[in-house]
Amino acid sequence: MKTPCSFVRISVLLLLFSGVASASTAGKSTAEAKKQWYQDLRLNLFGWSYGPSFGQFGEGRGATSTGALGSPVTIGTQLNINAPAFGGFLYTAIEALTWSPFNATSQTTLLTPSNPAFGIAGTHIDRTDFSWWARYEIEPAVLSASVQRGEVLTARSVTVLTANLGPKRYWSLRAIVVPAWQVLNSGTTNSVYLMPSVSYIVHDRLSWMLFLEAAYSRAAGDSFLSWSKAMDPNLAFGPVYSFKSGYWMQPFVSTYPGGRINADTTFAGIYFGGRVL
């Protein structure tokens, strides 16, 4: 089963950068050429990796809030297919692939697929000073490994609220909330991911972002009021750069403000992505 930490990160990262389909007209013709259904499909790629701590960079294992070695470093990639739905919303289908270059042995695989997710995504409010983007999806357990673990399906949603500040809107505040509900043979579980952030736009292709990640979960069979910390909150800072081709990357440095802050608990990471088709 996915760890709560990786689960909520996957939930958020694959939801933030969806392509929007656009229509085209043919020259001076007064009649719009009929398009085939596949011409409105868009394929996007998103990727991320959380590297090892600076104090143990050659170990190939992630950092923890205590400075102990974490799990082997992985590279996540997600393919997101979008198609026009209704009211500006998009139908979406997502497949996440986890690469394990530091943990590939005879008992493990280099590439691990996830259960596919299906849903809709779009903008509820889009103003100069405020926007509300949302995604709603269902992830059925179709992989044999998931079925053997007793998984049935996961339902989740994402709310992304953005407030642009100042007369020239150089500053922005963003709040991301991702509640999820997972059905198991043994009962149901819940999780919620929180990511507040503040960013400053330098120019069209460069901005700086400071963000905090936190997550909480409820185990199957526990009271709905019984929530525990699913990951140690981490604070990160880094630039976001967009290329002319449409691709972008966001390298960052992160640490755990609730624990010891030193080279063993500070690590580098990166997000990257762009439209493929």
Side-chain angles (χ1 to χ4, degrees), residues 20-256:
V20 178
S22 61
S24 61
T25 56
K28 298 180 180 179
S29 174
T30 57
E32 183 178 314
K34 184 177 180 180
K35 293 188 297 183
Q36 299 297 321
W37 64 270
Y38 55 81
Q39 292 180 287
D40 282 327
L41 295 178
R42 297 293 181 265
L43 177 63
N44 297 292
L45 169 70
F46 189 87
W48 70 95
S49 182
Y50 297 85
S53 64
F54 289 114
Q56 305 177 81
F57 211 80
E59 299 295 334
R61 301 177 71 88
T64 63
S65 60
T66 62
L69 288 176
S71 302
V73 172
T74 60
I75 301 171
T77 55
Q78 299 157 343
L79 294 174
N80 185 347
I81 300 176
N82 301 311
F86 51 86
F89 274 67
L90 301 173
Y91 293 118
T92 64
I94 296 171
E95 175 60 34
L97 303 171
T98 302
W99 300 80
S100 305
F102 300 100
N103 194 35
T105 66
S106 58
Q107 287 77 36
T108 62
T109 59
L110 175 64
L111 180 64
T112 304
S114 72
N115 293 307
F118 307 93
I120 59 172
T123 301
H124 289 286
I125 299 175
D126 186 11
R127 300 201 307 254
T128 302
D129 59 343
F130 178 77
S131 65
W132 169 20
W133 182 91
R135 180 186 179 101
Y136 312 93
E137 69 177 17
I138 295 292
E139 181 183 302
V142 297
L143 297 179
S144 59
S146 297
V147 174
Q148 292 173 5
R149 289 192 294 263
E151 299 175 19
V152 179
L153 65 84
T154 298
R156 71 175 68 91
S157 67
V158 169
T159 295
V160 182
L161 303 173
T162 304
N164 300 311
L165 308 177
K168 295 185 177 181
R169 306 295 191 267
Y170 286 151
W171 291 93
S172 66
L173 300 177
R174 173 177 290 174
I176 299 174
V177 182
V178 186
W181 179 63
Q182 186 176 39
V183 180
L184 309 171
N185 290 335
S186 58
T188 62
T189 66
N190 296 88
S191 67
V192 60
Y193 170 92
L194 306 171
M195 182 182 174
S197 67
V198 57
S199 62
Y200 176 76
I201 299 174
V202 179
H203 53 71
D204 290 344
R205 300 196 180 279
L206 176 65
S207 63
W208 291 90
M209 178 181 288
L210 175 71
F211 63 90
L212 176 71
E213 290 181 296
Y216 301 89
S217 63
R218 181 191 66 83
D222 287 353
S223 165
F224 186 76
L225 300 178
S226 299
W227 292 75
S228 60
K229 186 168 56 177
M231 60 182 283
D232 289 320
N234 61 283
L235 185 67
F237 177 74
V240 183
Y241 187 80
S242 300
F243 298 91
K244 291 183 178 180
S245 62
Y247 284 89
W248 59 271
M249 67 176 183
Q250 182 182 0
F252 59 86
V253 175
S254 186
T255 191
Y256 298 93

